[in-house]
Amino acid sequence: LLSATTNGTFTTPILNPRAVSSPGSGRWSPFATVDLSNNPNIPRTARVTAVTVRGTFRNPLGNSRIEVQAAGRLRDEQTLSSLSNINRTMTGFRDSFIPVRNLWGVSYVTLATSSASSIENLTLDFRFVHDTFDGFPWF
């Protein structure tokens, strides 16, 4: 039996909706989501080795956190800085080997009472491993 793995990358389109706002006071925003379950550009056997979330934090407030979730099963939270550019590698997904082909969501929370902030134009960058022979009909 032949077996080999290859590394790959995939960047999602902008998540839907394009912007979500936190109600403030410790309540989480709605999720911005992307469904990669049947994406033909991702090998069926692709398993996550790293996830990075990128986007824009409008009117950033202190005491904010961002969460990435895979199909409601596995989630990771990171502190958001007060910078307007979001670029966070979600360490909880490192070498998790969960399928990239999943429903993915991003949400955030701020402890500030103001709800004037939002996160916008979010994308997810995946690094993954997959079976080199995935998709070949003779295997």
Side-chain angles (χ1 to χ4, degrees):
L1 179 67
L2 293 172
S3 180
T5 58
T6 302
N7 294 319
T9 60
F10 180 80
T11 299
T12 67
I14 293 174
L15 279 60
N16 186 27
R18 292 183 80 83
V20 291
S21 298
S22 170
S25 301
R27 291 176 291 164
W28 286 90
S29 73
F31 278 94
T33 61
V34 62
D35 189 351
L36 302 178
S37 301
N38 296 309
N39 190 308
N41 298 314
I42 302 169
R44 289 183 322 235
T45 60
R47 299 292 184 257
V48 173
T49 57
V51 178
T52 300
V53 61
R54 298 182 200 284
T56 304
F57 194 7
R58 297 276 181 224
N59 301 317
L61 302 168
N63 293 323
S64 298
R65 298 187 63 77
I66 194 164
E67 175 184 84
V68 174
Q69 196 174 95
R73 294 187 309 239
L74 181 62
R75 68 183 109 222
D76 185 26
E77 277 181 44
Q78 298 284 328
T79 300
L80 273 175
S81 71
S82 58
L83 300 175
S84 60
N85 289 327
I86 299 169
N87 185 0
R88 300 293 302 185
T89 298
M90 308 304 287
T91 56
F93 288 102
R94 183 166 288 133
D95 296 328
S96 65
F97 299 104
I98 62 169
V100 176
R101 285 186 169 204
N102 250 315
L103 175 63
W104 293 87
V106 178
S107 180
Y108 86 108
V109 64
T110 183
L111 298 179
T113 55
S114 170
S115 60
S117 70
S118 65
I119 55 175
E120 303 174 359
N121 301 320
L122 296 169
T123 61
L124 296 173
D125 293 341
F126 292 95
R127 284 186 301 219
F128 58 83
V129 295
H130 69 95
D131 184 344
T132 303
F133 300 109
D134 181 31
F136 287 93
W138 55 84
F139 287 103

